[in-house]
Amino acid sequence: VRTDTITMTNQYPDPAPPVIQGDGVINLCEGQTIDLVAQPDTGFLYEWWYNGAPVANNNTSTLTVSQAGSYYAQVTNPGGLCTSPPSNVVTVYQIVVPPIGVYVAQGQAVLCQGDTAVLAALGVPTGYTYQWLLEGAPLPNAAGEQLTVTEGGNYSVAVTGACGTFTSTAFLVDQEIGLQPVIALGLPDSLFVASGGDCNGCQWYFNNQPLPGATGPYYIVQDEGNYALEVTSPNGCKYR
């Protein structure tokens, strides 16, 4: 009886898992791309995986990505028989900057004479810097998260950060210019509005104190003293 011993040699041992270079977490701005590069870069056929599914039409050591998700790679030896374990996983997050908005944080969008309003921005990512603009031009010393305004106009804000500069749409702050009411003395012993208001929001005063029920365009004088008329506009601005 003859017994022969045959020794089998694996010409293509299992390759080691590739290593994707760089950080394991990547923040990618919307619309940008980045190249994932794996080592070794020669001698193997690559297969890339995205969220657990193979990436079609890419067998090189570099993968250009533009979408958020998890990526890893495997390599196959030249004989095509042996595949490596998976590489390290790289997770890509996409930074989406929403439209920047401006709103009134304090006060109102219509300024009365001598009033102020505080504007603030909506949708600004953390870590971004501010520059406020009036009629499209940068305002000096206006780089805070809020802006105190004392005059009307079209205000906007430009914010700058990791993904570039983004400018809000213009926000209109109106400046009301009202007319001080003029009162005249009529007969007999009556005061009336001569100009400056139609008394939709009138209040008569006597010696700087409001007269109860005296809210019409006329007032019959009762006593000697100082009389005044305060008119309130539809926007809540008061003129006396």
Side-chain angles (χ1 to χ4, degrees):
V1 177
R2 179 180 176 179
T3 302
D4 294 327
T5 301
I6 301 176
T7 301
M8 303 294 293
T9 301
N10 186 359
Q11 185 178 358
Y12 299 107
D14 291 346
V19 176
I20 302 175
Q21 304 298 300
D23 297 331
V25 175
I26 297 174
N27 292 317
L28 189 65
C29 297
E30 187 177 19
Q32 292 183 345
T33 61
I34 191 170
D35 287 340
L36 301 182
V37 180
Q39 296 290 337
D41 56 359
T42 58
F44 294 95
L45 295 177
Y46 271 81
E47 184 172 27
W48 288 89
W49 298 78
Y50 167 59
N51 287 342
V55 177
N57 303 319
N58 192 311
N59 57 5
T60 68
S61 61
T62 300
L63 178 68
T64 300
V65 302
S66 61
Q67 295 178 307
S70 298
Y71 296 85
Y72 67 87
Q74 291 178 280
V75 293
T76 301
N77 62 20
L81 300 177
C82 302
T83 299
S84 73
S87 71
N88 55 308
V89 176
V90 172
T91 302
V92 176
Y93 295 99
Q94 193 168 62
I95 301 174
V96 178
V97 178
I100 306 300
V102 174
Y103 71 100
V104 178
Q106 182 178 334
Q108 59 183 13
V110 178
L111 294 177
C112 303
Q113 293 180 6
D115 282 356
T116 62
V118 177
L119 303 182
L122 285 170
V124 181
T126 302
Y128 275 59
T129 60
Y130 292 71
Q131 175 59 60
W132 290 90
L133 306 100
L134 174 59
E135 306 299 345
L139 288 166
N141 303 315
E145 294 183 2
Q146 295 184 330
L147 177 71
T148 300
V149 300
T150 58
E151 61 178 319
N154 290 294
Y155 290 87
S156 55
V157 63
V159 297
T160 302
C163 291
T165 298
F166 303 85
T167 303
S168 71
T169 56
F171 182 86
L172 176 63
V173 175
D174 201 1
Q175 178 81 59
E176 182 175 293
I177 301 176
L179 296 176
Q180 185 177 15
V182 176
I183 59 177
L185 179 63
L187 296 177
D189 297 331
S190 66
L191 298 172
F192 65 92
V193 182
S195 65
D198 57 8
C199 264
N200 287 329
C202 283
Q203 174 62 60
W204 290 92
Y205 282 75
F206 175 63
N207 291 339
N208 288 323
Q209 297 298 317
L211 289 164
T215 57
Y218 299 93
Y219 182 74
I220 304 299
V221 175
Q222 305 292 329
D223 301 290
E224 291 185 1
N226 295 313
Y227 289 85
L229 176 65
E230 182 180 79
V231 177
T232 303
S233 74
N235 293 317
C237 299
K238 297 181 182 297
Y239 305 94
R240 190 191 302 187

